[in-house]
Amino acid sequence: RKEVEQDPGPFNVPEGATVAFNCTYSNSASQSFFWYRQDCRKEPKLLMSVYSSGNEDGRFTAQLNRASQYISLLIRDSKLSDSATYHCVVKLPGVSGGGADGLTFGKGTHLIIQP
Amino acid sequence: DVKVTQSSRYLVKRTGEKVFLECVQDMDHENMFWYRQDPGLGLRLIYFSYDVKMKEKGDIPEGYSVSREKKERFSLILESASTNQTSMYLCASSVTPDPPDTQYFGPGTRLTVL
């Protein structure tokens, strides 16, 4: 498996600021892309999938550039509750043929929103 | 709501012991996964299973084995625990097809090997 690389953290930003996470992946066969969020001492949870057309969910916008093998996540008007670790995640084609394959996680970027 | 449970939140074992980590999901998902999470390394896939009695190696299978005798249960086995297996172990499950390929994680087991 190839790596997924993310911005090193931690990011310390004031409440209300816009935060941008960037991620690159090295395997061009990667077929699905996600951002997962993990709160302190909790399990990761899907934040949003990432599509080539870009997708938005409230204050969160995700973008995928397949040609550059680049994924981004933008958080606008950041809140204290956005403090967490954000994982860039890639799925490779399923080896089993059944669509199942593990996810490849980046190392995660820790975000701290300060009041 | 999908629920993935793991048998223990915290576990302390001694070097050389055989360790079983159990994971159960209640949503009839075909696919189950075991990851470990270490500071500075992120989550890494150990093994996964896409059907009962089926298993596939992930990125770091060495020192581990798995068992999937029932659809809802996926066990991770450390045949002879070593100190470098001290880690947070996370189980996950998913269903195919399930856009957007969401994996649902359990709360994790923090294993310490002395």
Side-chain angles (χ1 to χ4, degrees):
Chain A
R1 291 179 189 271
K2 301 297 184 179
E3 287 185 356
V4 174
E5 298 204 32
Q6 292 183 240
D7 290 349
F11 286 10
N12 285 277
V13 300
E15 193 174 8
T18 295
V19 185
F21 296 126
N22 302 307
C23 170
T24 57
Y25 61 96
S26 55
N27 190 327
S28 59
S30 301
Q31 58 178 193
S32 304
F33 309 89
F34 314 92
W35 286 99
Y36 273 70
R37 170 194 168 129
Q38 185 174 20
D39 292 317
C40 188
R41 297 196 180 90
K42 298 284 191 178
E43 70 273 18
K45 292 185 179 178
L46 179 69
L47 177 65
M48 50 197 312
S49 299
V50 190
Y51 306 111
S52 297
S53 55
N55 48 306
E56 188 172 314
D57 182 4
R59 298 181 293 108
F60 298 81
T61 301
Q63 294 274 359
L64 166 66
N65 184 320
R66 282 189 181 269
S68 303
Q69 296 181 196
Y70 171 88
I71 306 162
S72 66
L73 176 68
L74 192 73
I75 306 175
R76 291 180 299 280
D77 188 25
S78 54
K79 311 290 184 191
L80 295 176
S81 58
D82 294 333
S83 297
T85 298
Y86 291 82
H87 299 276
C88 178
V89 183
V90 166
K91 181 184 174 185
L92 295 172
V95 297
S96 67
D101 199 359
L103 301 176
T104 299
F105 281 71
K107 294 179 182 179
T109 303
H110 188 44
L111 173 65
I112 302 167
I113 306 297
Q114 295 174 333
Chain B
D1 270 357
V2 176
K3 192 159 185 186
V4 180
T5 56
Q6 295 183 227
S7 50
S8 305
R9 291 301 301 270
Y10 300 93
L11 207 53
V12 180
K13 295 290 181 181
R14 296 204 175 273
T15 301
E17 279 192 76
K18 190 168 186 175
V19 182
F20 293 87
L21 302 182
E22 305 284 347
C23 175
V24 177
Q25 48 91 6
D26 67 357
M27 286 301 291
D28 203 35
H29 284 178
E30 297 93 345
N31 312 314
M32 296 188 75
F33 308 84
W34 275 106
Y35 297 84
R36 65 179 279 177
Q37 184 173 24
D38 301 287
L41 296 177
L43 277 82
R44 293 178 291 165
L45 180 65
I46 304 171
Y47 266 98
F48 65 99
S49 168
Y50 55 89
D51 202 354
V52 174
K53 297 194 186 295
M54 304 303 289
K55 60 184 179 184
E56 295 281 349
K57 291 180 180 179
D59 297 316
I60 51 163
E62 297 79 18
Y64 303 94
S65 61
V66 290
S67 173
R68 184 117 183 252
E69 296 297 317
K70 293 185 177 181
K71 192 175 185 180
E72 68 271 17
R73 188 180 296 269
F74 192 35
S75 302
L76 180 69
I77 303 156
L78 288 66
E79 294 288 341
S80 178
S82 62
T83 54
N84 62 13
Q85 292 179 309
T86 292
S87 186
M88 169 68 82
Y89 289 88
L90 290 155
C91 175
S93 73
S94 71
V95 63
T96 304
D98 178 28
D101 291 314
T102 305
Q103 289 195 7
Y104 300 90
F105 283 84
T109 296
R110 185 166 293 283
L111 172 68
T112 301
V113 183
L114 302 176

